[in-house]
Amino acid sequence: MELTREQALALLRQYNEEPFHLRHALTVEAVMNWFARELGYGEEAAFWAQAGLLHDLDFERYPEEHCVKVREIMEARGLDSALIHAVVSHGWGMTEGDAQPEHEMERVLFAVDELTGLIGAAALMRPSKSVQDMELKSLKKKYKDKKFAAGCSREVIERGAELCGLTLEELWQQTLDAMRSCEDSINRQMEEI
């Protein structure tokens, strides 16, 4: 079964209430949409975006079973097995989920999940509270500070860049560009939630 964007958002909200988790889901959704278009997968952009929106579906309610419980939730609803695999594979090596990122979309999701969190945290430290005026050198400085956003695994980000065939700086810049492109839209959506 395929979900509309509205159905996917309703499913996300069924399992997530915290604004932080909802903002992260919306951010990863938009970043995945951006990457799909940039990488020549425009026809699949909605699928990429939906994987981004639902990637942490189980995290708020079942943090100890992250990427395991989501499979049960999605299979019970008869969702597309490709979507389930994409969502589960973003936790490869970090959770009990056993799926590895195979498709380019899955590798991108794996790479940007942690990075969007780190960039978002860095933005909150800026006077503007925005990525719009964030420079790559500022992001590099935050990235190198292991105490900053310590929950965002640098190892996973580096592994993700490698999986995507990008340098770390290329992944940083592209993800920052993607987040700049969607920040206003996400802010508006968060006001409506």
Side-chain angles (χ1 to χ4, degrees):
M1 178 178 117
E2 292 185 20
L3 297 175
T4 64
R5 202 264 177 179
E6 291 73 24
Q7 290 169 324
L9 187 57
L11 179 59
L12 175 72
R13 297 213 44 213
Q14 183 179 343
Y15 289 89
N16 292 268
E17 298 173 358
E18 293 292 325
F20 173 83
H21 293 134
L22 295 171
R23 178 178 290 279
H24 177 65
L26 293 171
T27 300
V28 177
E29 173 191 34
V31 167
M32 291 298 292
N33 187 313
W34 185 92
F35 269 96
R37 295 178 191 292
E38 286 295 310
L39 296 173
Y41 293 94
E43 294 172 2
E44 298 175 35
F47 180 76
W48 285 47
Q50 193 163 96
L53 183 66
L54 297 176
H55 80 283
D56 279 347
L57 178 66
D58 61 352
F59 186 76
E60 185 176 315
R61 195 174 289 181
Y62 306 103
E64 300 303 317
E65 298 177 84
H66 182 43
C67 294
V68 174
K69 194 70 173 175
V70 72
R71 182 185 301 273
E72 295 172 24
I73 293 167
M74 296 176 88
E75 285 178 349
R77 285 166 176 72
L79 298 184
D80 182 345
S81 62
L83 179 63
I84 295 169
H85 188 273
V87 167
V88 173
S89 72
H90 94 276
W92 179 53
M94 298 177 287
T95 68
E96 296 295 320
D98 57 354
Q100 294 183 15
E102 297 167 0
H103 183 278
E104 188 164 15
M105 179 270 292
E106 295 171 342
R107 294 189 297 268
V108 170
L109 179 58
F110 181 85
V112 303
D113 176 31
E114 297 284 308
L115 183 54
T116 57
L118 190 137
I119 293 171
L124 291 175
M125 300 299 294
R126 304 182 64 72
S128 66
K129 307 279 189 235
S130 172
V131 295
Q132 298 303 324
D133 59 352
M134 185 183 296
E135 295 180 17
L136 191 58
K137 68 180 181 178
S138 174
L139 177 57
K140 283 183 192 180
K141 186 175 179 181
K142 293 292 187 191
Y143 186 88
K144 289 179 182 179
D145 178 358
K146 303 297 184 204
K147 293 179 184 174
F148 178 77
C152 296
S153 171
R154 273 69 168 172
E155 181 182 325
V156 168
I157 294 168
E158 291 162 13
R159 192 180 198 186
E162 186 178 313
L163 283 173
C164 292
L166 298 170
T167 67
L168 197 51
E169 285 195 13
E170 288 170 335
L171 179 63
W172 289 339
Q173 186 64 62
Q174 290 178 21
T175 305
L176 186 55
D177 290 346
M179 289 179 70
R180 284 182 183 135
S181 76
C182 66
E183 186 177 56
D184 290 341
S185 172
I186 291 166
N187 289 337
R188 283 192 302 275
Q189 290 177 71
M190 287 301 296
E191 289 172 7
E192 296 171 6
I193 290 178

